[in-house]
């Protein structure tokens, strides 16, 4: 993979043999973010589990104390009082059959989070092939299948993110924007890591947190000492 001049220059600021403290890593992350837009800072965590086994899955959701810096558009699939609660909580789109049909017939995807009540999951299931690959399918573990839709909408807009393993046993999550500064990004990072550590499967053996790295959207990866979270 070829990198541009700015990326190459930014990479010179990083000692790839070093495991940085959280604060140092995030400071470097800001220095190596050279794009003209406010870059997103992403956390990448390699875990000592095998995602091929059901009893070693790591998945959940957590509200970041300082949000993600992103405006979240919420779609709620619900009816009656729960639909009203979703509207009052600020959901941009609320409906049932009409919303499902809109997605199916118009390929409409102008939303970032989908929340559904349990009694609507039979309806939402029709969208599995569309929502699943995009990571948008409502899931109880992520708190997006719930009867308390008002709270779910509020949390989604406050910066709730979902974390889960990919096929290479790595979790990738945004933890904010470069403009947040080191302190707020550190708080978000530690909140997310605490949740990941608490979600350790009983079947996991050996070292659970293998490696941690942060990177801005256009910047190089910076390794963090995982010792604090072991």
């Amino acid at each position: 993979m070829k990198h541009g001049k700015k990326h190459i220059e930014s990479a010179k600021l990083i000692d790839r043999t070093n495991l940085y403290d959280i604060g140092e890593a995030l400071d470097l992350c800001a220095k190596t973010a050279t794009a003209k837009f406010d870059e997103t800072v992403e956390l990448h965590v390699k875990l000592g589990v095998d995602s091929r086994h059901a009893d070693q899955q790591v998945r959940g959701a957590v509200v970041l104390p300082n949000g993600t810096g992103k405006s979240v558009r919420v779609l709620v699939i619900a009816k009656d009082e729960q639909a009203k609660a979703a509207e009052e909580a600020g959901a941009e789109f609320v409906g049932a059959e009409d919303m499902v049909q809109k997605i199916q017939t118009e390929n409409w995807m102008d939303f970032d989070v989908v929340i559904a009540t349990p009694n609507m999951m039979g309806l939402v299931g029709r969208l599995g092939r569309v929502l699943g690959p995009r990571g948008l399918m409502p899931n109880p573990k992520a708190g997006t299948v719930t009867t308390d839709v008002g709270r779910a909408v509020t949390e989604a807009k406050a910066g709730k993110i979902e974390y889960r393993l990919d096929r290479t046993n790595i979790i990738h999550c945004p933890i904010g924007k470069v403009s947040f500064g080191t302190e707020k990004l550190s708080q978000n990072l530690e909140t997310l890591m605490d949740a990941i550590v608490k979600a350790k499967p009983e079947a996991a053996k050996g070292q659970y947190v293998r490696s941690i790295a942060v990177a801005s959207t256009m910047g190089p990866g910076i390794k963090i000492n995982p010792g604090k979270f072991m």
Side-chain angles (χ1 to χ4, degrees):
M1 181 178 178
K2 291 185 178 181
H3 294 294
K5 290 182 180 180
K6 288 184 178 180
H7 187 285
I8 293 172
E9 288 301 312
S10 295
K12 292 179 181 178
L13 299 174
I14 300 165
D15 179 358
R16 294 194 173 278
T17 65
N18 189 37
L19 296 177
Y20 292 93
D21 290 335
I22 294 172
E24 292 176 320
L26 292 171
D27 283 342
L28 278 172
C29 203
K31 291 177 182 176
T32 56
T34 56
K36 294 181 180 179
F37 60 91
D38 190 7
E39 296 183 45
T40 296
V41 177
E42 297 180 350
L43 178 69
H44 308 277
V45 186
K46 174 79 171 181
L47 297 180
V49 295
D50 189 342
S51 61
R52 294 174 298 178
H53 299 293
D55 62 353
Q56 294 189 45
Q57 289 296 318
V58 179
R59 182 175 186 176
V62 63
V63 177
L64 300 181
N66 301 298
T68 62
K70 179 182 178 182
S71 178
V72 178
R73 300 165 299 174
V74 180
L75 165 63
V76 176
I77 307 296
K79 289 183 176 181
D80 304 325
E81 290 300 315
Q82 290 162 325
K84 183 179 178 181
E87 291 173 349
E88 291 176 348
E92 282 77 6
F93 312 104
V94 181
E97 288 86 356
D98 55 334
M99 290 296 174
V100 172
Q101 185 177 8
K102 185 177 178 67
I103 294 170
Q104 288 178 318
T105 60
E106 301 176 23
N107 197 29
W108 175 69
M109 296 295 294
D110 294 337
F111 47 85
D112 305 297
V113 176
V114 183
I115 296 167
T117 53
N119 62 333
M120 289 285 103
M121 284 307 293
L123 181 65
V124 177
R126 302 174 191 174
L127 302 174
R129 292 183 179 180
V130 178
L131 300 180
R134 294 175 170 84
L136 293 171
M137 193 68 182
N139 184 284
K141 288 185 178 180
T144 47
V145 176
T146 177
T147 55
D148 193 351
V149 292
R151 178 180 178 181
V153 171
T154 300
E155 289 182 342
K157 288 188 165 294
K160 186 175 186 177
I161 61 167
E162 184 179 357
Y163 59 87
R164 61 176 176 177
L165 288 174
D166 66 9
R167 292 180 180 178
T168 61
N169 306 315
I170 298 175
I171 290 174
H172 310 271
C173 282
I175 57 170
K177 298 288 186 179
V178 169
S179 61
F180 280 20
T182 298
E183 183 176 352
K184 288 185 177 180
L185 288 170
S186 294
Q187 291 171 352
N188 281 357
L189 185 154
E190 293 196 26
T191 297
L192 176 56
M193 283 302 307
D194 286 345
I196 292 172
V197 169
K198 289 178 182 177
K200 180 182 178 180
E202 291 185 7
K205 305 297 182 183
Q207 185 176 328
Y208 179 53
V209 180
R210 296 288 179 85
S211 66
I212 305 172
V214 289
S216 63
T217 305
M218 305 297 288
I222 303 163
K223 296 178 183 178
I224 291 176
N225 188 340
K228 179 177 181 179
F229 303 103
M230 288 183 182

